[in-house]
Structures are given as C-alpha cells and as structure tokens.
Amino acid sequence: MILQGNDPTTGASFTLGNRLQRQLWQCVWLCLFRPSPRPLHAWRAALLRLFGARLGPHVHIYPGVKIWAPWQLSVGGHSGVADGVTLYNMAPIEIGAYCVVSQGAHLCTGSHDYNSANFQLVAHPIVLASHVWICAEAFVSPGVSLAEGAVVAPRSVVTRSLRTPWTVYAGIPARPISTRTRHGTAPD
C-alpha cells in the first residue's frame, strides 16, 4: 500500500488502487455515513462492512468518526467509537470487545522516518485489548498496544505500548497513575 523509496514532493505515497479505494470511501462517508442520524448504528456498520471493516455485534460507531481506511479496521462486540474520533489507520487498528474510544481521540498508525532521505512514510498497527477506554482527546501513536482494561486519561499521549492490565494511564507521555477495579465488566 505505501510506496517505498518514492519522492513525496513529486509523486504519490500510495498505490493508485489504494488512492481510488480511499476516494470512493470518502464519497460514501460524506454522502451516506456522516449525515446519518446518530441512532442508526446498524446503517453505519453496514457501510463499514461493505468496505471491509470487521465489526462484532452491537458496535456503535457514531457519524462524526473519521475513518481513513475501513478495510484496516476491526472492532469487537459491544464497543463504541464517539463523534470526533479520528481513526487514521494506514496500518490496521484493532479495537477489542467492550471498548470505548471517546470524543476527539486520535488513533494514528502513520508517521514518517525522519532519518530517511525521502522522509519515508511508515505505518504500524494499533491494538486495544478488550475493556480499554481511550478518554476524550487522547492521542495513541503508531505501533502501540494497550493491555486489557487499560484507561488512557483525557488529553494523554501514548507513545509506547502500555502492557499492565487494568491500569489508568495519564500524561504526556502517558504513565501509570492508578489501578482500575475489574468488577462489573461484561464477559468476553
């Protein structure tokens, strides 16, 4: 999908097929996904599945979510992605079951190799285990994995994988600040 060794000042960074597929998705997003009423989760899920997203049952993805490539998205059952979220998934984003990604959060799988002569575009997947909560306006960097039950506090920045389950992380960069009680969680 990402072209290697190209000059981004004179040529494309992605294959023609990828660019056409993303253009078609943007038209569908603009005309059918974005203007859909908030309660029509099944409609938006159907559109995402049409473009290759893998969604579990009872997934709520709100109309204001920006998704770069639905075919690079997997969301487990009973999860929600709120309005204003950006899923910049040049590489796969996997969201587990019973997760919440709150308003304005940004999950970003793409960056650049600043040491390469051509500022090479690179992408690394993001994985959220089940029961993760990404709070409002938090940022998750490329290549990050979050352990089961992790909470990322509002406006925190996650720059590396957070591997301790049922832990609350906050700050820039995000660090553990508390533990989370496991009781009351839904079964997987």
Side-chain angles (χ1 to χ4, degrees):
M1 172 169 76
I2 297 175
L3 299 175
Q4 300 295 313
N6 67 321
D7 180 353
T9 63
T10 60
S13 294
F14 295 91
T15 63
L16 178 60
N18 178 270
R19 288 180 285 148
L20 291 173
Q21 192 174 17
R22 283 188 290 118
Q23 198 61 40
L24 179 59
W25 163 245
Q26 283 303 308
C27 290
V28 169
W29 181 85
L30 186 62
C31 297
L32 300 174
F33 188 97
R34 178 71 179 109
S36 65
R38 288 176 56 86
L40 294 185
H41 300 294
W43 168 251
R44 288 185 295 279
L47 291 172
L48 289 168
R49 286 183 181 111
L50 182 67
F51 279 83
R54 292 162 311 285
L55 307 177
H58 307 290
V59 169
H60 290 178
I61 298 183
Y62 285 84
V65 176
K66 294 177 186 171
I67 302 166
W68 195 78
W71 51 94
Q72 297 268 51
L73 180 62
S74 174
V75 183
H78 305 274
S79 290
V81 182
D83 278 324
V85 168
T86 298
L87 300 177
Y88 189 44
N89 55 343
M90 293 170 29
I93 290 178
E94 182 180 328
I95 299 171
Y98 299 97
C99 289
V100 174
V101 182
S102 293
Q103 293 82 352
H106 191 127
L107 281 63
C108 178
T109 64
S111 188
H112 293 271
D113 178 357
Y114 51 81
N115 286 319
S116 71
N118 68 338
F119 203 51
Q120 180 63 53
L121 190 60
V122 294
H124 304 284
I126 292 173
V127 178
L128 310 183
S130 62
H131 304 285
V132 167
W133 178 18
I134 306 295
C135 295
E137 298 183 2
F139 183 88
V140 180
S141 297
V144 164
S145 292
L146 296 174
E148 180 183 18
V151 174
V152 176
R155 294 200 170 176
S156 294
V157 176
V158 183
T159 58
R160 61 181 175 78
S161 292
L162 305 176
R163 302 196 187 281
T164 307
W166 301 97
T167 301
V168 179
Y169 297 90
I172 303 171
R175 291 181 165 76
I177 62 164
S178 184
T179 57
R180 179 181 179 196
T181 305
R182 188 175 181 158
H183 67 77
T185 60
D188 286 328

